[in-house]
Amino acid sequence: MGAEGKIYWFTGLSGAGKTTISRRFAERLAGAGRLVKVLDGDVMRSGLCADLGFSAGDRRENVRRMGEVAKLFADSGFVCIAALVSPYRADRERLRDRLGASFVEVFIDAPLSVCESRDPKGLYARARRGEIPAFTGVSDPYEAPEAPDLHLPTAELDADACVGRLLAHLEAATA
Ligand SMILES: Nc1ncnc2c1ncn2[C@@H]1O[C@H](COP(=O)(O)OP(=O)(O)OP(=O)(O)O)[C@@H](O)[C@H]1O
Ligand SMILES: [Mg+2]
């Protein structure tokens, strides 16, 4: 079964597919008997990170805290999937320094126009109306990874194909 812990860190715009793909990836791993934990940004922001907003400092702290929780799971042999926008390159680089070889940066990549047309939570519409300050892609920057460990273009690959690439990556990493 391979008990080596891993952290699959999904970064990408809102609506790019982080939650959708993380759930399917986790289902496949659980079905194969792996210990797996999904840390979803939305869920964490209602609990552990409920005190944080969307300023640059709060986003940095949000990423840091989720990284620390992910590390606890990975140290216990879990495949931990963290799904949060994590828009700033420097914050993700800090993770790589802290988490080392277990950290896998996965760019869940869809163009802003595609994310905005999907708008599964209606957030882009609200952001365009000025109702959400500092919304990533609209009024706050998204700094795309320059050299992600895995690049999943979700406008071109369906969710199952993305999961296939993740499974292949994990298999290669633990072979
Ligand atoms: N290839 C794909 N992979 C994932 N999702 C896709 C794909 N193609 C279309 N979709 C759709 O795009 C939407 C992605 O929404 P999802 O909630 O997963 O995004 P997210 O990245 O988690 O956003 P947020 O940061 O707001 O939580 C869903 O409605 C999903 O069905
Ligand atoms: Mg999500």
Side-chain angles (χ1 to χ4, degrees), residues 1-73:
M1 288 205 310
E4 192 197 339
K6 279 272 168 206
I7 297 166
Y8 281 85
W9 194 278
F10 289 11
T11 174
L13 291 168
S14 178
K18 301 178 297 298
T19 295
T20 304
I21 296 167
S22 65
R23 288 194 182 139
R24 291 199 201 183
F25 184 32
E27 279 165 18
R28 289 289 299 272
L29 293 174
R34 280 298 300 245
L35 293 170
V36 58
K37 179 67 185 169
V38 176
L39 304 178
D40 196 277
D42 284 342
V43 176
M44 300 294 275
R45 278 186 173 278
S46 72
L48 179 67
C49 300
D51 57 319
L52 301 175
F54 294 88
S55 68
D58 279 7
R59 288 181 191 269
R60 183 195 315 132
E61 174 60 11
N62 188 48
V63 165
R64 188 194 69 81
R65 265 185 225 176
M66 285 187 65
E68 291 300 318
V69 176
K71 183 175 189 306
L72 294 174
F73 278 102

Side-chain angles (χ1 to χ4, degrees), residues 16 36 38 42 56 63 76 81 89 94 116 129 153 164:
V36 58
V38 176
D42 284 342
V63 165
S76 302
I81 308 160
R89 206 170 282 137
R94 219 170 278 124
E116 194 156 0
R129 289 198 300 267

